[in-house]
Structures are given as C-alpha cells and as structure tokens.
Amino acid sequence: MRHRMNVYFPPELLKQIADLADRKKLSRSAIVEAAVASFLSPDGADRREAAFARRLDRLSRQVQRLERSVGIAIETLALFIRFWLTITPPLPTDAQAAAQLKGRQRYEGFVEALGRRLHKGQSLLHEIPEDIHRHASPGADAPEGEP
C-alpha cells in the first residue's frame, strides 16, 4: 500500500526530475522514490566512503611514485654536477672558444639522443632497477672490466 505525500521542489529541480523521467521512461514519482531510497540507504554512505577511500589510496600511491621519481632525478642531477665540477679543470683562455663550439655540438647531440629516447618511451627511472638487479646478481651480464 502506498501513501500520498505532497512535497515542493524548486522549479529547476522539478525540471531535472521531469527530464530524467522522460529519458528513462519512468514516472516522476519513481524517480523521486529511488532518490529518497538511495539517500536513506544505510549502505549508500558506506559505498561512497569506500569509493573515496579507493580513489585516495590510488592518488597516494601516485604521489609516492612521483616523489620517488623526483627524488631520484634530483639526486642524479646533484651527483652529476658534483662529479663534473670535481673533475673538470678550468680551460686556458685561448682554448675557451673551441671548447664552447664543441660544447654546443655535444649539447645538440644530447638533445637529439634525449628526443629519440623519449620518443621510444625509454626512461632512466625504469633502467635503474634493471641495472641494479643486473649488477647485484651473481654472474651478471656485465662485460669484463666493468664492475
């Protein structure tokens, strides 16, 4: 048995209910009944909370991976800079022009190589675990003379 209840809706909400009822080919009462039942359902809030928790967990894992990647990139850059500054002697004044020309050529080669690697989808961050595993394994595939 059903009981009648009179409710009042703002015109814009009533239009949305009518549009949804027309699209779904249901009565407006059925739409409002389903909405109220969903709102009053005790497990509805639990489902929403579980969905939010899954999304937050996924976002947390993504942020952790980003933090790790950025940390590796910063450490790599810092190590390279320290190494380069330590081993590179200052050039005599008469050799600087030739060194700058050679530097520009090498930089262009670097940018081209970087572009090729990025185009192929290669990434240093993916190679690092492989290199570590290869060097840590007994009988690694490293050529003779290399650690």
Side-chain angles (χ1 to χ4, degrees), residues 2-130:
R2 293 186 176 273
H3 294 281
R4 181 177 180 92
M5 178 182 209
N6 292 328
V7 294
Y8 297 94
F9 294 109
E12 60 276 355
L13 183 58
L14 191 57
K15 181 173 178 355
Q16 289 177 333
I17 293 170
D19 290 344
L20 182 60
D22 291 343
R23 279 196 316 268
K24 299 283 187 177
K25 298 190 183 337
L26 295 170
S27 68
R28 287 182 270 180
S29 293
I31 298 294
V32 172
E33 182 180 343
V36 170
S38 174
F39 183 80
L40 295 176
S41 172
D43 63 338
D46 293 339
R47 284 187 302 216
R48 281 191 301 277
E49 184 177 337
F52 283 131
R54 283 191 304 275
R55 289 179 188 148
L56 285 173
D57 288 344
R58 188 179 70 231
L59 287 171
S60 293
R61 287 189 303 274
Q62 288 173 337
V63 167
Q64 287 172 345
R65 284 192 302 269
L66 283 172
E67 285 176 342
R68 179 180 180 276
S69 296
V70 168
I72 289 171
I74 289 170
E75 287 301 318
T76 302
L77 179 61
L79 184 62
F80 172 77
I81 291 169
R82 178 181 289 167
F83 178 76
W84 185 82
L85 289 173
T86 302
I87 66 161
T88 305
L91 293 173
T93 308
D94 58 338
Q96 287 184 359
Q100 288 174 351
L101 177 63
K102 188 65 173 174
R104 281 197 279 306
Q105 291 170 347
R106 292 171 79 185
Y107 179 74
E108 288 172 9
F110 166 77
V111 170
E112 287 175 16
L114 179 62
R116 284 191 305 272
R117 284 180 61 87
L118 293 175
H119 183 71
K120 289 180 182 177
Q122 293 175 318
S123 167
L124 177 66
L125 292 177
H126 293 110
E127 290 177 7
I128 290 172
E130 295 169 6

